[in-house]
Amino acid sequence: METGTKMGMNKTGVQTSPIDIDRMLSDIRQSAKSAASDGAGIAAVRTSYITEAEAVGTVPMPGTVKGAAKAAVKKLTGRRPEVLIDALGARLAFERSGVRLYDAVLTKYQATPEKLPGMSAEQLAHFRDEEAQHYKMLADCLQSLGADPTAQTPGADISGVESMGLVKVIEDPRANLQQTLHALLVIELADNGSWELLIKLAEELGQDKMAQDFRKALENENEHLMHVRQWHEQCVLGQAT
Amino acid sequence: MALSLLDSKGTPLEQQRFTWKELVQKPISKLDDDAFTRVRVILMNGIESEAVRFSHLCARMNRDLQVPLARVRRIDHHQATMVNWLLGSDHSPIETTVAYEQVAIEVTAALARQEPDPYVAQALRFALLEDFDHLYRYAALMDRIEGMDPNNILQTYTDIMSGRPTAVEHRMPDDDVRKPYERGKAHPLTKLNALTLVSGEYQTRDYYMHFGPTFADPVARQVYAEIASIEEQHVTHYESLIDPNETWLEKWLLHEANEAWNYYGCVQQETNPRIKAIWERMLDYELGQFQFAAEIFKSVERRDPAEVIPANLPDPFPYKSNRDFVRQVLKNEVDLRAKGTEFVPLSEDSEASEQYRNHMNAEGSPTETVAAGYQWVPGGELWRRVANL
């Protein structure tokens, strides 16, 4: 495994086939009979399905809560608790996956002989452990609302779909450290924005204790983002010079 | 040089073993490997998948063969795994789909060119023009839905143009069943060609059925539904070319011979040395499996396997672009239609099929929608829009 990219025998693109591409295009030009589409047909099919679509699913009904937790639930009276539960569920799923993804990044880092200054296994393990703490904290938050932290909310489902490509890159043995760090950067950027919104949402719904915990989590995430961005830059700029 | 099934005994069955690490090797490079390496990987997975499929069906109908079939089938399954896992995870389902259609076009064209039976050759050319159109439709889908250039998969070997429009390929089942070759008279090449193509098409049908629902875009889901239906027709089309009077053991023998024949073509033409070593190993395995099946054939049917397939197999087909041949077929035969077992001019098209396709297309044809006015240019259709910015 190498850190960066190299010149080689890439066979995509048309420059590698100058004769074939001329022949390929000559017949295409001759065969073209109709004007280019404006995409209206595709839009019409999409629209008909969007109009008929049902949601990917629902937020499960919270159970009953006891003791101190009642105060948190009471503050949601007259509001829509499912919005908060969905957002918490999405964050929980993201942080839980984040633990596994940092594990994979850690393995790739350790298996890559070339090291980046300032990047260490200890640092990656530390970030991973913070993602795990966030996971636990979000589970506690959901329980405090009587919600099930093991349920997959619609937000969690969609967030998983969003991450599919990122998970593939991080876990692909062929994706080098630079490519892996770019995927991690996308994750941390999305994570950062999501925590910021979650803080606002908790504040809006009177969940002051949660908002306080989330601000601490955002501090951690800011540090993750700063480091990952820096490592990625080092990787790219280091190769170019 | 042609392959002789008897020159080498191949690898004995008991030595045909794998570890999990061997089954999951480094994949080919989507970017750097030649497109025909991927064509071979996809085709050979189709050939192995057919071997497994046939073996299961045969076992259900033949109690005495169940153990020997199970032994060979386990190896076939692992061969399929080893081969199919050579596709890297950076191949998205639509990219793999475009590659599948390239397999369908280039392999069908190569086999049609060498097919000695005029009726079978016509049947191959007929389906060729339909797969050629599928490539065009999927290329439009890839370009317009995902903003990617399909030629990065095709590497300029295969044209991206309309063939027989997919919308008119929908036929009544009665118009998909062909006349079979006669097992006692057919040229060995005819048997191998039919088996190779039914293997490829069955795999393609299964791939579209499996991956169609994984797309989010309703346009893509519809296009996969429509083309999967044609691939199902093509399985009917190709399998009906095979003589149904062949015994189960004849069919088993032919499957083994076909696997060996196809691996031999891969060995001869592979450009990636690491993949070539895999083909060589698989060829040795197939020769061993052929010997195993031939012994059972001899003891059960008391006949010489050469009555089914000669020891010296025909030359393998070439893996190369068939651009000129395909264009010629397109020019001459795009308006042919199928009626019963025959291929007829457009004016004599089957009324039953016309009614069938009119109903299927009554709410629109997804393949027409996705490719309306589509004309590929290097880099993809958007290049035309941005070139003059």
Side-chain angles (χ1 to χ4, degrees):
Chain A
M1 166 58 64
E2 287 158 13
T3 314
T5 46
K6 278 184 165 179
M7 290 276 197
M9 299 298 291
N10 186 314
K11 293 186 175 61
T12 64
V14 297
Q15 285 186 2
T16 49
S17 318
I19 299 169
D20 279 338
I21 189 60
D22 280 350
R23 299 205 53 226
M24 194 167 166
L25 287 171
S26 69
D27 250 48
I28 286 175
R29 280 192 285 267
Q30 284 166 22
S31 73
K33 291 170 191 161
S34 49
S37 160
D38 59 359
I42 291 175
V45 172
R46 283 174 168 169
T47 302
S48 80
Y49 278 85
I50 292 167
T51 309
E52 295 166 6
E54 293 173 4
V56 294
T58 56
V59 175
M61 296 283 286
T64 52
V65 289
K66 293 174 187 168
K70 283 186 178 170
V73 176
K74 200 174 175 186
K75 287 180 182 165
L76 293 172
T77 307
R79 318 297 279 268
R80 293 185 59 198
E82 65 271 26
V83 177
L84 180 60
I85 292 170
D86 191 27
L88 290 170
R91 225 52 268 114
L92 177 146
F94 202 89
E95 299 293 317
R96 185 172 55 194
S97 295
V99 178
R100 300 303 191 194
L101 292 176
Y102 265 103
D103 270 334
V105 175
L106 183 58
T107 304
K108 193 166 281 183
Y109 171 78
Q110 287 168 328
T112 306
E114 211 175 318
K115 300 300 178 197
L116 285 174
M119 186 178 185
S120 68
E122 290 72 26
Q123 189 80 314
L124 286 168
H126 176 62
F127 290 174
R128 176 200 58 201
D129 295 345
E130 286 183 336
E131 301 286 346
Q133 286 162 15
H134 299 166
Y135 164 40
K136 171 66 168 62
M137 182 256 287
L138 288 157
D140 291 344
C141 290
L142 280 161
Q143 276 172 330
S144 76
L145 299 172
D148 180 358
T150 67
Q152 187 175 27
T153 69
D157 182 37
I158 293 293
S159 157
V161 176
E162 283 173 354
S163 302
M164 277 178 180
L166 300 166
V167 174
K168 282 183 83 168
V169 170
I170 288 174
E171 294 177 352
D172 189 336
R174 303 168 307 159
N176 62 33
L177 196 58
Q178 176 211 315
Q179 293 154 344
T180 303
L181 285 171
H182 185 265
L184 194 58
L185 178 61
V186 175
I187 287 169
E188 290 294 3
L189 283 166
D191 208 12
N192 223 263
S194 300
W195 277 109
E196 284 172 358
L197 181 60
L198 197 57
I199 291 166
K200 284 183 191 168
L201 185 61
E203 286 171 345
E204 187 70 22
L205 296 174
Q207 304 294 325
D208 299 338
K209 170 71 173 63
M210 280 189 202
Q212 196 182 342
D213 290 341
F214 297 165
R215 277 191 285 271
K216 282 184 202 154
L218 180 59
E219 279 175 32
N220 299 151
E221 298 293 354
N222 277 329
E223 197 193 349
H224 299 185
L225 177 58
M226 185 189 76
H227 279 87
V228 172
R229 195 196 298 267
Q230 203 172 35
W231 295 334
H232 181 249
E233 277 179 13
Q234 278 178 351
C235 232
V236 176
L237 298 177
Q239 280 177 68
T241 52
Chain B
M1 197 175 74
L3 173 70
S4 169
L5 292 167
L6 302 177
D7 276 357
S8 163
K9 289 205 173 298
T11 307
L13 224 54
E14 58 278 12
Q15 289 173 25
Q16 299 190 11
R17 297 185 302 172
F18 303 90
T19 65
W20 303 118
K21 184 80 192 288
E22 284 179 310
L23 291 189
V24 183
Q25 303 197 14
K26 284 189 288 186
I28 60 169
S29 168
K30 185 177 87 177
L31 309 179
D32 290 6
D33 269 300
D34 191 89
F36 276 108
T37 293
R38 179 174 41 234
V39 165
R40 286 183 279 273
V41 167
I42 292 171
L43 179 66
M44 293 320 298
N45 180 56
I47 299 282
E48 290 293 359
S49 301
E50 166 61 24
V52 170
R53 188 181 305 115
F54 165 76
S55 174
H56 277 299
L57 293 174
C58 185
R60 288 177 206 177
M61 304 295 284
N62 296 278
R63 177 70 185 93
D64 293 345
L65 295 176
Q66 285 180 346
V67 170
L69 282 167
R71 289 179 63 195
V72 176
R73 189 169 63 240
R74 179 66 51 81
I75 301 163
D76 284 330
H77 173 83
H78 288 150
Q79 288 177 286
T81 310
M82 187 189 227
V83 170
N84 201 30
W85 264 235
L86 290 172
L87 290 181
S89 63
D90 51 342
H91 285 88
S92 69
I94 183 69
E95 286 178 313
T96 306
T97 295
V98 165
Y100 267 53
E101 292 300 344
Q102 184 171 41
V103 174
I105 294 161
E106 300 302 346
V107 173
T108 308
L111 298 185
R113 292 172 78 169
Q114 63 176 21
E115 172 54 51
D117 180 322
Y119 177 78
V120 174
Q122 174 68 85
L124 268 53
R125 295 196 304 274
F126 184 79
L128 166 66
L129 293 187
E130 301 193 334
D131 285 322
F132 187 70
D133 193 71
H134 299 169
L135 174 61
Y136 170 71
R137 309 287 159 177
Y138 277 130
L141 180 73
M142 184 192 218
D143 191 343
R144 289 176 165 178
I145 303 291
E146 300 198 356
M148 297 171 78
D149 182 354
N151 190 50
N152 285 336
I153 292 294
L154 304 171
Q155 296 179 6
T156 327
Y157 288 123
T158 311
D159 284 340
I160 303 171
M161 293 189 297
S162 177
R164 179 175 303 116
T166 301
V168 303
E169 294 170 9
H170 305 292
R171 290 177 287 273
M172 280 295 277
D174 311 46
D175 293 323
D176 281 323
V177 179
R178 309 284 163 250
K179 289 185 286 194
Y181 62 69
E182 290 183 47
R183 61 178 183 153
K185 294 180 185 168
H187 191 283
L189 209 43
T190 300
K191 296 181 180 182
L192 297 170
N193 286 349
L195 203 42
T196 297
L197 287 170
V198 80
S199 305
E201 293 294 301
Y202 214 131
Q203 159 178 250
T204 306
R205 176 217 173 265
D206 284 357
Y207 188 85
Y208 298 165
M209 291 299 285
H210 185 84
F211 280 95
T214 69
F215 283 84
D217 195 306
V219 177
R221 293 169 75 87
Q222 283 196 346
V223 168
Y224 273 80
E226 185 180 0
I227 298 183
S229 178
I230 303 299
E231 302 303 347
E232 165 60 21
Q233 292 185 193
H234 282 183
V235 177
T236 303
H237 166 93
Y238 283 121
E239 77 185 359
S240 59
L241 291 170
I242 298 170
D243 191 339
N245 296 314
E246 287 167 349
T247 66
W248 282 105
L249 276 165
E250 274 183 57
K251 287 185 184 295
W252 186 9
L253 213 51
L254 279 168
H255 276 79
E256 298 300 346
N258 191 48
E259 288 171 74
W261 182 65
N262 272 287
Y263 276 123
Y264 186 60
C266 294
V267 169
Q268 279 191 327
Q269 298 169 72
E270 183 55 63
T271 50
N272 179 330
R274 185 171 64 83
I275 307 301
K276 182 175 181 173
I278 292 175
W279 302 141
E280 286 168 342
R281 177 177 171 185
M282 296 301 96
L283 173 59
D284 281 344
Y285 278 26
E286 291 308 332
L287 291 171
Q289 291 171 29
F290 180 83
Q291 300 283 347
F292 180 76
E295 288 307 313
I296 294 172
F297 178 84
K298 283 190 270 189
S299 71
V300 174
E301 296 213 356
R302 305 270 171 218
R303 289 198 288 149
D304 183 351
E307 288 178 34
V308 179
I309 190 86
N312 293 317
L313 294 182
D315 285 336
F317 60 88
Y319 285 93
K320 61 175 190 180
S321 173
N322 292 282
R323 175 171 280 123
D324 291 338
F325 175 78
V326 175
R327 286 179 181 185
Q328 200 59 39
V329 176
L330 187 62
K331 192 176 159 195
N332 297 337
E333 302 182 22
V334 70
D335 286 335
L336 285 185
R337 297 290 182 269
K339 189 175 189 178
T341 59
E342 301 306 318
F343 303 102
V344 298
L346 184 58
S347 56
E348 295 171 29
D349 195 6
S350 153
E351 204 173 307
S353 281
E354 279 183 56
Q355 284 173 9
Y356 167 78
R357 78 175 65 103
N358 286 343
H359 180 78
M360 292 301 291
N361 294 330
E363 292 185 77
S365 159
T367 52
E368 287 293 311
T369 301
V370 80
Y374 183 70
Q375 191 181 347
W376 178 81
V377 291
E381 190 183 44
L382 280 178
W383 182 249
R384 266 201 235 96
R385 198 189 295 177
V386 302
N388 297 320
L389 288 181

